[in-house]
Every structure is written in C-alpha cells, then in structure tokens.
Amino acid sequence: MNNELGMGKQKIGSLLWTFSLPAIVGMLVNALYNIIDRIFVGRGVGSLAIAATTVAFPIMLILMAFSMLIGIGATALISIRLGERKKEEAEKIIGNALTMLIILPLIVSVIYLFFSDPILVLFGASPEVLPYARDFTHIIMLGSVLGSLGMGMNNFIRAEGNPKLAMITQLAGTFVNVLLNYIFIFKMGFGIKGSALATIAGQMVTTILVLSYFFSGRSLVKIRLRNMKPQMAILTSIVAIGFAPFAMQLANSLQNMILNKSLFAYGGDMALSAVGIIMSVSMLLLMPVVGVSQGAQPIIGYNYGAKQYIRVKETLQKAGIAGTGISIVGFIVIYLWPTQIVGLFSNNDVALTKMTADAMLVYFALCPVIGFQIIGSSYFQAVGKAIPSIILSLSRQVLLFIPLLLILPNFWGIDGIWRTAPIADGLAVLLTAILIYFEMKSINRRQYEIEGKKSDQIAEDHFTGADDALLGKPSSN
C-alpha cells in the first residue's frame, strides 16, 4: 500500500532515482562480466583472444536468453501470486522455474559440446581464432547452469521486494570475476582459459548467495522439492510471459553472428577484435540507460492505470532527459578519448588501436539520441501496448540493423559495417519519435476529457447547491 501511494503521490524525480539505481547497478554488473573478460584477455593474451570472446558472445547470449525466458516469466507470475496472497502457488512457480533453469542450459551445453567447432565457425571463428574460442567457450558452457541459476533466480529476490540483496549478490560475483581474472591470467599463466574459469567462479559465488538466501529461511517464498516437478500449466504461463525478452536476446545473438561473419569477411581477425571492444563500450554506455528505463516502467504503468496522465508524461520526460544525458556523456567521453578507451583492452597493439578508435567515432556518431529511443520503447511496455513495444524493441536490432548490415558493406566495404549503427540509430529514433508523438496526443486528449468531466461535476455541484439555497433546502455539500 505504501509503495502504491508512493508511485501515485511521491515526487517523480525521487521515485525515478529510487527505482532506477538498483536496476542500473544490476545492468552494469551483467555487462561487466563480458567487459572484464575482454580487458584481461586483451592485455594478458592478445588480440586473437579478444576475437575469441567476440565469437563466444552470441553463444553466451543464447544461454542468457533461456535464463531470461524462465527468470523474467517466473518473476512476473511470482509477483502476481504474492499480490493475490497465494503463497503456495508462488512456491510452485519458483520450484518449476528452478528445475527449468537447470535443465535448459544443460540441453544447450550438450548440443554445443557435440557440435562445438562447426558452431564456433558459424559464429565467426577463423582457423587462427578457433583454438582460443574453443578453450574459452568450452569452460563457459560446462558452467552454464551456474550462470543460469545466478541470473534467473536473482529476479526472484527482486520479486520479493529485496532489490538491494539482489544487487549485492551480483556485485560479489563481479568482484570475484575481476580478482580471479587477474590471478589466473597474470599470476598463474592460464591464458584465455583463466578468464573463462574466473567467469564461472564469479557466477558460482552469485548462485551460492542466491540459493543460500532461499534455503536459509529468510525468503518469503520457499523452495520445496515437491514443487520442482514440472507442471505444464505453470511452464506454459512462464514461457508466455518471458517469451518477448527471450526473443530479443535470440535476435541479438543473430545480429552478432551476422556482424562477426561480415567483419571477418571484410577485415579479418583484427576487425573481429575491434568489434568486440566496441560492443563492450556499447554495453557499458547503454546499460545505465536500460536501468533508467526499467526504473521508470513501474511508475509509468501505475500512473497510467490510475489515469494520472500528467504524472505519466512527467515520468517519461524525466526518464528521457536522464537517458539522453547519460548518452551525451558517453558520446563526449568516446570522442575525447577513443585511443585511451581502446588502450584498456589492447596491450600496445598499434594497428588494432587505430582501427578500433577510428571505427568507434563512426559507430557511435548518433549516440546522444540512443537514450531517447530506449526510454521511448520501454514506455510502451510499461503501458501494456504490445504492438508498438515489439516494433520499437525490434526496430534497431532486427528490422533495421540486420538488413543494413547485409546491404551497406556491398557499397562501402568495412566502412559500411561501421556506418550501419548510426544509420539504424537515426531511423529507430525517428520511428520512436513518431509513435511517441501520437501517443502523447492521445494522452493529452484523455487528460482533457478527465479535466472536462471534473469541471462539469464542479459546476453541477455548484448549481445544485445554489438551487437548494433558493428553495430553502439544506446543502448536500
């Protein structure tokens, strides 16, 4: 009740900060796993190792997609059942979800291990990169269940209203990943295998902390063995809700696969290493904006449902300003210090540094407007408008980026690949602006109707009171 009153009455700025900060930290922590791996292998092993992690990334995205399919779908259902005071049903959901968070990554890993080399080649590995990609990805896939449980069940902690604990478990895993990357690569000489082992160790720490929370008796929802037997009705509901983010991650994996293949065709292994660095910078830049959008969603959704459209518009406006501000700061940093940024990943590789720094200036040319596109897309999710939400969510990655990626290199070579991003960004922002414009017109019309009804009611009450006074009747007010 207090949370509801807060979302309906509290100042939008403080609400947005309260809801966004844990989400921003969580998104940055998830991004740091991949970024840390690339920094350490780039400086401790070399550019071919960066290319190997770039090849592995879309495969890791597939694992993440299945974690989100179950994790996000189950989280929504758990929250609903707790709101309905149906704790036993919530426990059945978490039990079924836990089972699937174990089974699905195991299935994906077994398929990978049977066909590892063809899969790695499909995702862009050259003969020179293949041994590094094999060493890294094999270990990641062998520990896939740890990553799935840690990521998926972290959502369940948030569903219970404990975002700070979820944030702490993620931060602990990231700290272990950083520490062990340094030890395994620079002190023990494990090479790229050391980075993969550090990643798995960090995920194991997060998973242990999450499971200890649920098995220690501190959690509101308990994990019980009898609830871990899969029930088709529950699994169908979980998949239905989690399918949209699942599809988005698969689309992201497809995009990265095509990008890797195109870059290798036009620029070889060095181009593959360059895009690995660019993707890391992009994740570090965009994850805070995604965190703001996640923080704004419940505020927008609640006030939209309550028909408090002024607060809806204010939340969208302030979230848009925050997201754009983050994008502008990132743009300035990239354009002032591109060589220094690339230097974090490369150990004095002059050719790689020049290629990546030059490519970044093109790739992030429209970075300042990306924040608006992300916030605008999340707005339609918040108000439950599925069609515009799906269109905007897929617009940059699937509807625009992939076709442009297949077309532009035919005219501009590798420069066409780098130019794909700003062109897709510009078109996606234009599409978002058009849909938001018409949505705001609809919102304004609804607000006008509500204010008109209030004015009519006040006038009616006024005249009713005046008539009663003339007739000598006591006022109803």
Side-chain angles (χ1 to χ4, degrees), residues 97-114:
L98 177 58
T99 299
M100 298 313 294
L101 286 171
I102 296 171
I103 291 175
L104 290 177
L106 282 177
I107 293 173
V108 175
S109 296
V110 168
I111 293 172
Y112 165 80
L113 292 171
F114 270 107

Side-chain angles (χ1 to χ4, degrees), residues 207-471:
T207 299
I208 290 172
L209 291 174
V210 170
L211 290 176
S212 66
Y213 169 73
F214 283 102
F215 284 110
S216 65
R218 290 179 292 158
S219 63
L220 176 62
V221 179
K222 304 295 188 292
I223 296 175
R224 307 183 193 278
L225 289 176
R226 66 174 182 269
N227 291 327
M228 292 184 65
K229 182 179 179 181
Q231 298 181 29
M232 187 55 64
I234 293 175
L235 295 179
T236 301
S237 299
I238 290 174
V239 170
I241 295 174
F243 186 78
F246 169 76
M248 279 297 300
Q249 285 299 106
L250 289 184
N252 199 11
S253 178
L254 175 63
Q255 173 191 304
N256 276 269
M257 182 186 73
I258 296 172
L259 182 61
N260 290 351
K261 299 286 282 187
S262 299
L263 281 167
F264 180 73
Y266 287 94
D269 289 329
M270 185 177 295
L272 204 57
S273 300
V275 81
I277 296 172
I278 290 172
M279 289 296 105
S280 294
V281 175
S282 178
M283 289 173 66
L284 194 61
L285 170 64
L286 296 182
M287 288 305 102
V289 182
V290 175
V292 172
S293 74
Q294 289 184 349
Q297 280 187 18
I299 306 170
I300 290 173
Y302 177 87
N303 287 284
Y304 187 87
K307 298 183 179 180
Q308 298 191 61
Y309 297 121
I310 293 177
R311 289 178 63 82
V312 171
K313 291 190 291 183
E314 184 182 354
T315 305
L316 176 62
Q317 181 187 47
K318 290 187 173 178
I321 291 171
T324 302
I326 293 170
S327 299
I328 291 173
V329 170
F331 173 81
I332 292 172
V333 170
I334 289 168
Y335 270 73
L336 288 179
W337 299 290
T339 303
Q340 290 83 347
I341 292 172
V342 178
L344 294 173
F345 299 84
S346 173
N347 192 11
N348 299 320
D349 189 327
V350 177
L352 175 62
T353 299
K354 177 171 173 44
M355 172 184 277
T356 310
D358 291 344
M360 278 172 51
L361 298 180
V362 177
Y363 194 91
F364 293 108
L366 287 185
C367 177
V369 298
I370 294 176
F372 167 76
Q373 200 277 331
I374 294 173
I375 300 297
S377 174
S378 70
Y379 166 85
F380 289 101
Q381 293 176 2
V383 300
K385 296 192 174 182
I387 293 178
S389 173
I390 292 171
I391 290 173
L392 292 182
S393 295
L394 295 177
S395 62
R396 185 184 184 275
Q397 286 180 303
V398 179
L399 303 179
L400 297 171
F401 195 99
I402 291 177
L404 289 170
L405 188 58
L406 295 173
I407 295 171
L408 297 185
N410 295 316
F411 299 96
W412 293 324
I414 194 170
D415 289 336
I417 298 176
W418 305 132
R419 291 169 185 169
T420 293
I423 294 174
D425 289 337
L427 294 173
V429 167
L430 179 62
L431 178 60
T432 303
I434 292 171
L435 292 180
I436 288 290
Y437 171 77
F438 285 107
E439 174 67 12
M440 289 302 101
K441 286 188 69 174
S442 174
I443 287 286
N444 290 334
R445 184 170 60 252
R446 294 182 190 182
Q447 182 64 31
Y448 179 78
E449 291 172 356
I450 291 173
E451 291 175 352
K453 290 178 181 178
K454 287 182 179 178
S455 298
D456 291 343
Q457 185 63 48
I458 292 170
E460 181 181 343
D461 291 344
H462 174 75
F463 287 118
T464 300
D467 290 342
D468 288 343
L470 290 172
L471 294 172

Side-chain angles (χ1 to χ4, degrees), residues 22-146:
I24 290 171
V25 173
M27 298 303 295
L28 281 174
V29 167
N30 284 331
L32 281 173
Y33 266 98
N34 185 264
I35 294 168
I36 289 166
D37 288 343
R38 283 181 177 152
I39 289 175
F40 277 103
V41 300
R43 298 188 67 85
V45 185
S47 61
L48 288 178
I50 298 178
T53 60
T54 305
V55 169
F57 185 56
I59 300 172
M60 295 168 71
L61 284 176
I62 293 173
L63 284 175
M64 192 182 298
F66 283 102
S67 297
M68 294 176 72
L69 174 69
I70 303 302
I72 293 177
T75 297
L77 288 177
I78 291 168
S79 298
I80 292 169
R81 296 298 178 265
L82 290 176
E84 295 171 344
R85 304 292 190 270
K86 297 178 180 178
K87 185 180 173 183
E88 289 186 6
E89 291 190 20
E91 290 181 346
K92 289 180 181 179
I93 293 166
I94 198 173
N96 274 243
L98 177 58
T99 299
M100 298 313 294
L101 286 171
I102 296 171
I103 291 175
L104 290 177
L106 282 177
I107 293 173
V108 175
S109 296
V110 168
I111 293 172
Y112 165 80
L113 292 171
F114 270 107
F115 306 100
S116 58
D117 281 11
I119 290 173
L120 291 171
V121 171
L122 177 66
F123 282 93
S126 68
E128 291 77 16
V129 171
L130 184 59
Y132 293 94
R134 188 189 298 124
D135 286 346
F136 183 81
T137 313
H138 273 40
I139 295 173
I140 294 295
M141 299 304 283
L142 289 172
S144 61
V145 173
L146 294 173

